[in-house]
Amino acid sequence: MNVFVTGGAGYIGSVCVEELLNAGHDVVVFDNLQEGHHAAVDKRARFIGGDLANRLLIAETVKEIRPEVIIHFAANALVGESMTNPSKYFRNNVGNGLNLLDAMVAAGVGAALDGLRPVVDLNFADFSFGAMDEIVNQAAKVRYWWNRPVPLVVRGTTGFAGGGAQHNNSLEAWFCHVPGLLVAMPSTPADAKGLIKTALRGEDPVIFLMHKMLTGLRGEAGGPDDLVPFGQATIRRPGTDVTVACYGVMVGKALRAAETLAADGIDVEVIDMRTLMPLDLDTVQQSARRTRRLVVATEAYRHGGVGGEIAAAMSESLFGELASPVLRVGAGFAPVPHSPVLLDALTPGAADIERSVRAAVRAGRAG
């Protein structure tokens, strides 16, 4: 099949292009001529560089190559006449972005039930509020109702950044509370690619959350078959004195805190959870049993969060074995402010993790 993809150099688009090529399809990628974009596209695909906002250029390209399927990963790739009169340019389907969130997810659920593997990109995870019935009451429950696979990926950015309260919610705990959904939240480019590929090849709906502040992160991303399994945390930094369990943007902050603490002789082990449903509590338990101290660090609110679940599980399973209470780092319980000064005060950082680790060490020595 001849497939035309706009925005295929992004991290979601490039992975989907790779999967299409692995399935034997011919793929043409149209994306901006920015530094690194061409290099991000699989060399088996034909790359055409141009302005994604140039409707005429995209329409002319579609007219030239006459694809059977068009897929748009670029929100601004509105291709004018080729969209309003698609039969004039190609023979089959147009996968274009909708603006109705419930319709987007509903179409994704239907496509998954029909044997496809759709990716619904909400941009901001906050926009999922308009599609909660489709996510929670439809996608998450089909396996329970009919034992049918729903290979759907719903992707969105999450976490605190500029822009005010409406676009800065941390929603991972909401989705972890729904049986039937898998939840991934990577901290590195390699995990972003490996987890999205695992999600695309799976049989269940996945909520794929990427922190806004990690959008520009660059690094090695692995090859076509470098998958990251769900439910398997990884140790980012080995240590002997205190375990810090974290995920997403907090992994980098924990690693920075660990380096500062190392100068004072405190050896911190940093665990990246990578997926939050399923949640790898065994790795955390094994580490905390060795170090005898545990700090759980999340950017989300402490109240009702994933960090509280990890802390409670470890307090139960390691009762009597720890040298100090399990400590938690999280955001203050308030709407996310637009003011940069107030936002900085609300957002937990490396210094907060450092203080909690020092408190755990002091409590252990006092005991």
Side-chain angles (χ1 to χ4, degrees):
M1 184 179 292
N2 186 12
V3 183
F4 179 72
V5 181
T6 65
Y11 83 91
I12 296 291
S14 61
V15 170
C16 290
V17 166
E18 197 172 77
E19 293 292 282
L20 287 167
L21 291 164
N22 289 343
H25 301 298
D26 296 322
V27 180
V28 177
V29 174
F30 187 102
D31 210 325
N32 291 322
L33 278 173
Q34 295 177 355
E35 182 180 356
H37 268 203
H38 188 279
V41 178
D42 193 296
K43 298 302 183 289
R44 294 171 292 172
R46 176 187 171 192
F47 182 85
I48 300 175
D51 185 357
L52 283 170
N54 189 333
R55 300 183 180 189
L56 180 60
L57 178 58
I58 298 176
E60 289 301 318
T61 304
V62 169
K63 183 178 180 180
E64 175 190 345
I65 67 175
R66 298 185 61 81
E68 296 171 89
V69 174
I70 294 180
I71 302 173
H72 290 299
F73 286 101
N76 61 337
L78 305 174
V79 296
E81 189 177 1
S82 68
M83 291 292 94
T84 58
N85 189 13
S87 61
K88 185 174 179 179
Y89 295 104
F90 56 92
R91 299 184 294 279
N92 202 337
N93 300 320
V94 180
N96 193 23
L98 303 173
N99 290 321
L100 299 174
L101 286 309
D102 54 350
M104 289 172 63
V105 178
V109 174
L113 290 173
D114 201 36
L116 301 178
R117 294 182 176 274
V119 177
V120 178
D121 191 343
L122 300 178
N123 191 5
F124 292 106
D126 315 74
F127 293 163
S128 64
F129 297 150
M132 276 298 181
D133 183 70
E134 286 71 22
I135 295 172
V136 174
N137 280 332
Q138 311 304 325
K141 294 179 171 57
V142 168
R143 175 78 80 174
Y144 171 71
W145 288 334
W146 304 316
N147 196 29
R148 288 183 59 180
V150 189
L152 168 69
V153 178
V154 178
R155 180 264 179 196
T157 57
T158 188
F160 298 169
Q166 290 178 308
H167 288 173
N168 286 279
N169 294 286
S170 294
L171 303 176
E172 57 267 25
W174 287 37
F175 297 112
C176 288
H177 202 67
V178 180
L181 295 179
L182 305 181
V183 182
M185 198 163 175
S187 68
T188 68
D191 278 359
K193 180 176 181 179
L195 287 169
I196 197 68
K197 288 181 76 72
T198 300
L200 287 168
R201 298 184 186 188
E203 301 296 335
D204 293 294
V206 175
I207 305 299
F208 194 89
L209 301 173
M210 192 75 178
H211 197 283
K212 300 178 188 72
M213 300 304 291
L214 297 179
T215 300
L217 187 65
R218 296 293 182 263
E220 294 295 324
D225 294 310
D226 291 331
L227 307 184
V228 175
F230 277 52
Q232 185 173 309
T234 189
I235 297 175
R236 297 291 181 196
R237 184 189 191 279
T240 58
D241 294 328
V242 182
T243 297
V244 175
C246 49
Y247 57 86
V249 75
M250 294 301 284
V251 174
K253 296 179 181 181
L255 291 171
R256 291 194 294 274
E259 292 304 311
T260 301
L261 291 160
D264 292 335
I266 301 174
D267 194 14
V268 176
E269 180 152 294
V270 177
I271 296 178
D272 183 351
M273 302 308 296
R274 301 203 286 194
T275 64
L276 308 181
M277 181 57 66
L279 192 61
D280 181 6
L281 295 175
D282 289 341
T283 296
V284 180
Q285 184 184 64
Q286 292 166 13
S287 174
R289 180 171 278 130
R290 282 189 292 101
T291 65
R292 300 185 64 221
R293 300 175 183 88
L294 174 63
V295 173
V296 183
T298 72
E299 188 184 80
Y301 304 123
R302 288 174 19 129
H303 182 79
V306 174
E309 174 61 26
I310 298 173
M314 293 303 102
S315 295
E316 290 176 354
S317 63
L318 298 176
F319 183 76
E321 297 185 49
L322 298 178
S324 65
V326 178
L327 300 180
R328 290 182 291 153
V329 175
F333 197 66
V336 179
H338 195 281
S339 162
V341 175
L342 294 177
L343 176 61
D344 185 62
L346 179 74
T347 306
D352 299 289
I353 298 174
E354 182 184 339
R355 281 193 293 271
S356 292
V357 169
R358 293 185 187 278
V361 171
R362 287 195 301 270
R365 289 171 179 167

